[in-house]
Amino acid sequence: MDTTSFLNHIKASFERIFADGVNLMEYLPENKWLELKQAGLLLPFLSEQHGGRKNSQFEIQEVLRIAGHYGVPVTLRTGIEGALVLQPLLEFGDENQIQQGLNWVFNGEGGGLAITEPKTSGSAIAREMQSYYEDLGDGTVYVEAEKYWQGNSQSEFLLVAAKERKNGRLSKMINLLFVPKQYIQFDVLKSEGLRAVRYAINRVAAKIPANAVMKLSENDALGLRAFQNIFIRSRLQLVGMSHGIMESIVENMRKFAKKDIKFVAFECQEIERRYGVSQVLYDYTCKHVSPDASVSDKLMEANIIKTLSTEYTYDAAQILQKLLGAKGFESGHVASNIAIDFRPFTIFEGPNDMLYAEIYDQFTRATSQEKEQGVKLDKNQTLLERIKSDQRFTLTALKERVLPQDINEFLSRYTLSDADALKKVFLGKVVAKLFIFGQTAKEDTAAFLLKNIRKDILDCEYC
């Protein structure tokens, strides 16, 4: 099928499989999820070599967006099995691991990616990770791991992140292990939301075949970069999920909210403005990301996509819930489900405030392209000067827009070395919104972003 026919087929499959609706207060029935996968939902995440679609970032974003209309857990499961299972499996697995994994994904209960640990939480992919495997020399490895809050827990297998242990010491290198559920013990977690996704504490303390190890690289630095690449790509693609949810929010707003009250009309407009930003973020990923090209040079952009897409969608969900009053607080109501289920998106894969500080750090460092050209950044240059010299900004429409004088003056007051740890959060917010301001063509969306930038400037000045 061509792209249009394929996406129409996916839409029709959702309509048929969820013809009686979907109860997001209970675990998504495995038979319906399997039927969606067998209808082709995850094929854009697969290469043609393995029975998937021709590489198309647009198709990846579209299936995530379409799934978003049926609830946060539905698009989340699509993203988990697509971006966090199939893509790393195909990139790092051997042929036996790939074939077994594909069989379990498309004929069984699928798989998940196990990263976070109970004692280290958001630091789990850094040096604090304690999960390990040790080669026993008899064709087996001993694996000891405790993982926390993984979507698709209790499924057929997990890709478990762990370090190799030699002579009692843990390597800095992180690899993935293909671990079938027979080796995993599960303690089911009760969550406030996302009840249609299975979460658990997953424990592995077992000897498993040594061929379970998926070597990311023999080189520590390259291996860590490959591992980080999984999350950079996932953050870039996350906007497909959030944009589908945003569209669902807008549809329900238009269906239920009565705009004859001026303040209600204003609040509806606030949702529409956030939707406008979401569309810009969505278009950026479709145009500037490719599923078969490295995204290691897009860490700043990925963090901008992740923070702004989740922040604005969560804001819109809260406004919708408020507009619907008591109805929006009913258990199982669409507005209640979205508001509760979407909040974790602002936390997982890095809490947004932490990522804003990282955005600032990435903005004030030389890009890989600048390093290749021998460019060294002068830490005494102002933020405004950096924006004017940074190709990530100058290649956008920002060069054609005139920033208001007050924002120019603020950017001229700070040099790249001025910010402390707290100010980095607010300056990162300014940088993120300026980057998207340079992408937008609609005046109303641009004005909304400027209003938000001014708020971030005030927070920065008074923190």
Side-chain angles (χ1 to χ4, degrees), residues 176-203:
L176 295 174
L177 293 94
F178 185 93
V179 183
K181 68 178 178 182
Q182 69 195 74
Y183 300 106
I184 305 171
Q185 291 182 317
F186 304 98
D187 291 335
V188 176
L189 289 164
K190 292 183 179 179
S191 61
E192 287 299 317
L194 292 175
R195 295 185 182 179
V197 180
R198 291 189 295 205
Y199 286 102
I201 299 175
N202 309 285
R203 296 185 176 90

Side-chain angles (χ1 to χ4, degrees), residues 397-459:
L398 189 59
K399 63 184 178 182
E400 298 169 5
R401 286 190 174 278
V402 178
L403 281 174
Q405 185 63 28
D406 59 328
I407 294 177
N408 274 327
E409 289 175 356
F410 171 80
L411 296 171
S412 298
R413 284 202 298 273
Y414 283 89
T415 69
L416 301 190
S417 59
D418 277 347
D420 60 21
L422 179 56
K423 285 191 180 294
K424 283 182 180 182
V425 175
F426 299 107
L427 289 172
K429 291 183 177 186
V430 172
V431 169
K433 286 162 189 149
L434 280 172
F435 180 78
I436 299 304
F437 174 76
Q439 314 287 332
T440 184
K442 292 186 177 180
E443 291 304 320
D444 189 51
T445 305
F448 172 74
L449 286 166
L450 290 177
K451 174 186 172 184
N452 278 238
I453 289 168
R454 289 187 171 100
K455 180 182 181 302
D456 296 329
I457 288 174
L458 283 173
D459 288 337

Side-chain angles (χ1 to χ4, degrees), residues 64-204:
L64 290 168
R65 183 189 65 80
I66 293 166
H69 286 253
Y70 291 86
V72 179
V74 181
T75 191
L76 179 58
R77 286 199 67 177
T78 307
I80 289 171
E81 284 207 278
L84 298 180
V85 176
L86 288 179
Q87 287 182 333
L89 177 66
L90 265 62
E91 185 171 359
F92 304 115
D94 62 33
E95 197 56 36
N96 287 333
Q97 291 166 340
I98 290 171
Q99 291 307 319
Q100 182 63 79
L102 293 180
N103 181 49
W104 278 336
V105 167
F106 291 103
N107 298 300
E109 294 193 10
L113 177 65
I115 304 291
T116 311
E117 299 180 344
K119 294 179 182 177
T120 56
S121 189
S123 300
I125 68 169
R127 58 182 175 271
E128 290 88 349
M129 181 182 284
Q130 296 301 303
S131 299
Y132 71 87
Y133 67 95
E134 189 167 9
D135 193 337
L136 300 180
D138 59 355
T140 65
V141 292
Y142 177 75
V143 182
E144 190 161 306
E146 187 176 28
K147 300 295 183 177
Y148 189 52
W149 281 113
Q150 273 69 54
N152 286 14
S153 292
Q154 307 162 71
S155 51
E156 303 282 6
F157 68 97
L158 291 176
L159 302 180
V160 177
K163 299 174 180 177
E164 184 173 14
R165 187 170 79 168
K166 288 183 179 179
N167 303 318
R169 299 185 66 181
L170 293 184
S171 165
K172 294 180 181 178
M173 176 67 193
I174 299 173
N175 282 315
L176 295 174
L177 293 94
F178 185 93
V179 183
K181 68 178 178 182
Q182 69 195 74
Y183 300 106
I184 305 171
Q185 291 182 317
F186 304 98
D187 291 335
V188 176
L189 289 164
K190 292 183 179 179
S191 61
E192 287 299 317
L194 292 175
R195 295 185 182 179
V197 180
R198 291 189 295 205
Y199 286 102
I201 299 175
N202 309 285
R203 296 185 176 90
V204 184

Side-chain angles (χ1 to χ4, degrees), residues 249 253 264 266-268 270-271 274 312-325:
I249 291 169
M253 175 203 76
V264 172
F266 171 79
E267 291 287 72
C268 290
E270 286 294 286
I271 290 177
R274 285 163 175 79
Y312 284 135
T313 304
Y314 183 51
D315 285 351
Q318 291 177 295
I319 296 171
L320 175 66
Q321 189 177 34
K322 176 178 68 175
L323 289 176
L324 298 186

Side-chain angles (χ1 to χ4, degrees), residues 57 91-92 121 164 231 233 288 298 348 365 377 449:
Q57 192 64 42
E91 185 171 359
F92 304 115
S121 189
E164 184 173 14
F231 293 95
R233 187 175 297 283
H288 296 282
K298 287 185 168 57
F348 68 55
R365 295 178 189 142
L377 293 189
L449 286 166

